[in-house]
Amino acid sequence: MASEELSRQLMLGNEAVARAAYEAGATVATAYPGTPSTEITENIAKYKEIYSEWSPNEKVALEVAIGASIAGARAICSMKHVGLNVAADPLFTVSYTGVRGGLVIMVADDPGMHSSQNEQDSRYYGLSAKAPVLEPSDSQECLDYVKEAFAISEDFDTPVIVRLSTRVAHSRSLVAVSERSERPLLEYKKDIAKYVMMPAMARARRVIVEKRMEALAEFSCTTRLNGVVNAAGAGSANSAAGAASANGAAGAAGANGAAGTTGANGAAGAASANGAAGAADTTGIFGTPGTVGTPGDVGTTARMPLIITSGISWQYTREALRSLGFVPGINVSVLKLGMVYPMPKKLIMDFLMAASKVLIVEELSPFMEDIIRAYGTGIEIIGGDMLPSIGELSTDIVQKVIVTTYFPEPIQAATQIPPVGDGVAGAASPKAASAQPEAVVTHPEVPSVQPETVSAQPEAPMDLPIRPPVLCPGCPHRSVFYVLKKLNLIVCGDIGCYTLGALQPLQAIDTCICMGAGVSMAHGMDKAGAQAGEPFAQRTVAVIGDSTFMHSGMTSLLDIVYNKGSSTVLILDNEITGMTGHQHNPSTGRTLSGGETFRVDLVKLCEALGVGHVRVEDPFDVVSLEKAVREETARPEPSVIIVRRPCALLSSFSAGEAVAIDQAKCTRCRMCMRISCAAISDKDGEIQINQALCVKCGLCATICRFGAIVPLAGLQNGGGVNG
């Protein structure tokens, strides 16, 4: 351990995670309590350097952490396995956006259902969401892996999942602790293309995610988290300075180590494969223990048993091997994975080279097994067919499977372990000398399309202009974004018509992750800034629609109040669910069939949630709206502005007078173009209003500083009028 090491302390796995967050310089920690993860955040709260909170649910907790990350802070969010189901919405999208400050998601699975309603394997969330997954096996690894997770998060611009299990979370072991490494808040930078996940941006980010996964897959083959366990049965592989680690640059007993003296995979002679100075193959996968340069037999005779495992399953495996008298690296070879997704394919294929079978020990689901089978190794893979898929593993269960797999004959003593191989010294095995052929995938022949079945299609022009989606003429959201951009505020947006406020020329929205997240993320930015001495709340607002507020914004607003935030939330109440085609919601007073029902009063609801300052504004009264935003963002406590005006497509929308441009007064300042109304255009330097598109909302007349937008009825046809 480095010189800054303070001491070794006996810690729960959860306590070690908390210590890791502290040492890694985390600024914000969020969670919803759930066994076996609860103690993580309870212990983080003991460190005054980290803002910690219980959130109303796991979704809100993750969104707050995402907001803190985008603000430039390191953030950690903790939950149990079923909580990850609740947080799945933001998880899958933050994988696309990436992070700014490191973002670590702690998930504690509960095999055996000690305090849960189901069993669940959270590794599959990493696979589905395309987020890397680490899996520590004891308290020391909890500390080490979480600190590594923060580094991976920032290096690869990704959230990182760290999977615990009940036994790791609630078991104690010695942990070497160090001083905190302070991490200043990174500079905030507006990046709409990265953090606003509208379809066009999301498609571009999707490509980046795949490239990132390729880079992570390469990293998993070299990281110190993965590798062959040394003879002492401890120490991670690939360690840069591990004294007995595999793949280490200076590992004394490391596989693939540049200076490893007992490196595994030694093909023949005095040097181990991939080891520049490996002199003996005493821990070789193929060679007879203690024999220099013996490659081992690759035929049907017995050879050293191979095991691949991770997390708590490694602890059961190690105890089982000890009880059988086996020593990892001497008479059994174990590939221990700390980074279980993406899997280290090359490392695994090298480990399995010339083997006839391998035992994969993992708890609950055959996650690693299924991935390894897909590699097409050509060897027998044993795991899920012999290990239970229900409940926890145990040392006894693993021991029986090891014996059944490799030693069906009774074992009388450790000295009577079957020989590893009968290889000839100095001769490389045929299977080891040749690379494994790639699995060939064949596809059924696709029938050709007959010419007569294809209708002639005209060639599309090559220079078609792009038609980005825009807010409808008369949309009450337009003035909101005009004001927010004018005030140069950071705007945490949400899912709805108003997401279009991110596009040119408004470009007012900074983030959009999922429904309800805008409110939570504004709170996360607020807390990250407050902890670092940066007043984010005074320059940040959240924007959410009335329907989306009903969907999942209420819990986020409650979080702000409960955890003493000071964010300002704008609820854009257009009296309908606009984006999906005018469906009703609890704030409209109508059911799906159109029948009358109770109508939620948004003002009373916000007050009931604890917000002391709630006001209603008309979006078309731009002066009053701007004044309200200025006042509420300056307030050092939570506030809500309900911006109320019906959707322009509803019959209840109140139209005003038709307007047109008085060309004699127009200065061509183009201020009216900044509100991005489809009815206003610039044709050959002349601003015009299309009367067929204009809905007579009057917003443009309010914006014009020179009085050039006037009632159409007050002007004569022709002359200075255009429209």
Side-chain angles (χ1 to χ4, degrees):
M1 181 64 70
S3 58
E4 68 271 18
E5 179 182 313
L6 298 179
S7 64
R8 290 170 65 83
Q9 300 177 15
L10 193 63
M11 288 186 173
L12 287 174
N14 284 343
E15 288 180 286
V17 170
R19 181 69 191 187
Y22 168 76
E23 292 184 10
T27 300
V28 170
T30 63
Y32 183 83
T35 305
S37 70
T38 305
E39 297 87 359
I40 294 174
T41 313
E42 286 181 334
N43 280 280
I44 292 178
K46 298 175 182 178
Y47 300 106
K48 60 180 178 59
E49 295 85 351
I50 305 175
Y51 165 75
S52 307
E53 74 167 41
W54 289 133
S55 304
N57 60 42
E58 293 86 357
K59 177 180 182 294
V60 172
L62 181 52
E63 291 162 355
V64 173
I66 293 170
S69 168
I70 294 177
R74 281 188 165 182
I76 184 170
C77 178
S78 306
M79 64 198 72
K80 67 183 296 179
H81 62 289
V82 290
L84 192 54
N85 300 333
V86 181
D89 197 2
L91 168 64
F92 276 71
T93 304
V94 74
S95 177
Y96 275 35
T97 66
V99 303
R100 180 168 278 118
L103 177 62
V104 174
I105 303 168
M106 300 300 306
V107 182
D109 287 1
D110 189 20
M113 295 177 282
H114 297 280
S115 57
S116 305
Q117 64 270 43
N118 67 22
E119 287 186 319
Q120 190 172 301
D121 194 327
S122 297
R123 293 176 296 179
Y124 288 99
Y125 269 105
L127 176 68
S128 299
K130 296 186 180 297
V133 181
L134 310 186
E135 188 172 16
S137 66
D138 60 20
S139 297
Q140 181 64 62
E141 287 190 352
C142 283
L143 185 142
D144 294 340
Y145 284 23
V146 169
K147 292 171 71 172
E148 183 73 7
F150 277 113
I152 293 172
S153 177
E154 292 172 354
D155 290 345
F156 291 91
D157 190 18
T158 181
V160 178
I161 298 172
V162 179
R163 182 206 188 204
L164 304 181
S165 66
T166 302
R167 298 302 177 184
V168 174
H170 286 168
S171 294
R172 297 183 187 273
S173 59
L174 285 174
V175 177
V177 300
S178 303
E179 294 283 4
R180 176 176 169 87
S181 175
E182 292 295 342
R183 306 281 300 188
L185 205 66
L186 301 177
E187 180 184 1
Y188 178 78
K189 295 180 181 179
K190 188 184 187 80
D191 192 343
I192 293 174
K194 186 175 192 293
Y195 294 116
V196 178
M197 285 300 95
M198 296 172 63
M201 289 79 153
R203 293 187 193 107
R205 294 297 303 179
R206 180 76 171 83
V207 176
I208 293 172
V209 168
E210 290 302 321
K211 291 181 179 178
R212 181 186 75 203
M213 292 309 300
E214 293 175 3
L216 282 164
E218 293 181 6
F219 171 77
S220 70
C221 291
T222 59
T223 174
R224 64 188 180 89
L225 302 173
N226 296 332
V228 180
V229 178
N230 62 56
S236 61
N238 295 329
S239 174
S245 65
N247 292 330
N256 303 328
T261 58
T262 57
N265 292 339
S272 65
N274 301 322
D281 188 27
T282 58
T283 62
I285 295 173
F286 320 114
T288 303
T291 304
V292 177
T294 302
D297 183 18
V298 297
T300 59
T301 58
R303 59 179 52 77
M304 179 178 287
L306 305 187
I307 298 173
I308 298 176
T309 188
S310 67
I312 190 62
S313 300
W314 154 243
Q315 299 292 356
Y316 297 133
T317 300
R318 179 165 64 173
E319 290 301 317
L321 293 174
R322 284 176 176 172
S323 66
L324 291 170
F326 299 160
V327 179
I330 299 299
N331 41 33
V332 65
S333 190
V334 180
L335 177 59
K336 177 179 175 293
L337 301 183
M339 185 174 187
V340 295
Y341 185 78
M343 296 274 282
K345 181 177 180 180
K346 184 179 185 302
L347 188 65
I348 291 170
M349 295 299 282
D350 288 346
F351 181 71
L352 299 179
M353 187 182 297
S356 63
K357 61 183 175 182
V358 63
L359 172 62
I360 301 175
V361 182
E362 53 188 326
E363 198 167 62
L364 281 186
S365 304
F367 178 83
M368 297 189 297
E369 178 182 343
D370 288 345
I371 293 175
I372 294 172
R373 285 186 185 278
Y375 293 162
T377 61
I379 69 171
E380 182 183 2
I381 296 176
I382 302 163
D385 53 342
M386 296 187 67
L387 292 167
S389 59
I390 299 175
E392 295 180 285
L393 294 181
S394 68
T395 299
D396 289 342
I397 291 173
V398 175
Q399 178 176 314
K400 290 176 182 177
V401 173
I402 291 174
V403 171
T404 302
T405 302
Y406 288 110
F407 309 108
E409 298 298 326
I411 300 176
Q412 296 179 2
T415 56
Q416 296 179 352
I417 296 173
V420 173
D422 298 319
V424 179
S429 66
K431 205 168 184 179
S434 61
Q436 290 283 352
E438 293 290 333
V440 178
V441 180
T442 59
H443 302 275
E445 184 178 353
V446 179
S448 60
V449 180
Q450 298 301 319
E452 59 269 22
T453 64
V454 181
S455 60
Q457 296 288 339
E459 290 189 9
M462 299 301 293
D463 57 350
L464 286 175
I466 297 175
R467 294 186 62 189
V470 295
L471 294 169
C472 299
C475 177
H477 304 328
R478 179 173 280 108
S479 59
V480 174
F481 294 117
Y482 170 80
V483 169
L484 297 181
K485 183 177 182 180
K486 178 182 178 181
L487 298 179
N488 195 32
L489 296 174
I490 298 170
V491 181
C492 295
D494 228 292
I495 305 295
C497 298
Y498 44 88
T499 313
L500 297 172
L503 301 180
Q504 293 181 337
L506 294 169
Q507 291 186 299
I509 290 181
D510 290 60
T511 69
C512 179
I513 299 293
C514 67
M515 297 184 77
V519 180
S520 311
M521 291 173 64
H523 176 61
M525 287 186 166
D526 173 18
K527 290 302 184 180
Q531 196 71 10
E534 296 282 345
F536 259 94
Q538 295 179 13
R539 58 191 179 105
T540 304
V541 297
V543 171
I544 189 169
D546 53 333
S547 177
T548 308
F549 185 70
M550 295 290 100
H551 178 280
S552 51
M554 291 183 285
T555 47
S556 300
L557 182 59
L558 177 62
D559 187 41
I560 293 175
V561 176
Y562 169 60
N563 284 300
K564 301 181 179 181
S566 55
S567 299
T568 298
V569 178
L570 278 69
I571 301 177
L572 309 188
D573 181 10
N574 63 357
E575 301 184 0
I576 203 70
T577 308
M579 181 176 65
T580 51
H582 288 186
Q583 292 77 29
H584 289 287
N585 64 72
S587 70
T588 68
R590 297 281 180 178
T591 63
L592 173 61
S593 60
E596 291 189 10
T597 186
F598 173 77
R599 182 173 186 172
V600 172
D601 185 320
L602 289 176
V603 174
K604 291 182 178 179
L605 175 58
C606 292
E607 290 174 345
L609 289 172
V611 181
H613 301 275
V614 184
R615 60 202 291 178
V616 180
E617 296 290 336
D618 182 349
F620 289 160
D621 188 344
V622 177
V623 174
S624 179
L625 176 61
E626 180 178 335
K627 179 175 180 291
V629 173
R630 288 183 182 275
E631 290 176 353
E632 298 309 322
T633 51
R635 196 183 299 278
E637 54 187 308
S639 59
V640 171
I641 304 173
I642 299 173
V643 187
R644 180 170 289 159
R645 172 72 71 146
C647 171
L649 301 180
L650 291 177
S651 59
S652 57
F653 178 80
S654 177
E657 295 182 279
V659 295
I661 306 294
D662 185 339
Q663 298 297 339
K665 296 181 179 179
C666 181
T667 64
R668 280 53 169 186
C669 69
R670 298 173 60 86
M671 180 64 71
C672 58
M673 299 289 292
R674 297 183 184 181
I675 61 175
S676 186
C677 178
I680 306 175
S681 61
D682 183 349
K683 292 187 177 180
D684 300 324
E686 188 175 85
I687 309 301
Q688 299 182 7
I689 295 178
N690 187 331
Q691 295 300 323
L693 294 176
C694 180
V695 298
K696 307 176 182 62
C697 70
L699 176 62
C700 56
T702 305
I703 299 299
C704 182
R705 299 176 180 177
F706 302 98
I709 302 178
V710 297
L712 178 62
L715 295 173
Q716 297 179 346
N717 293 330
V721 178
N722 190 304

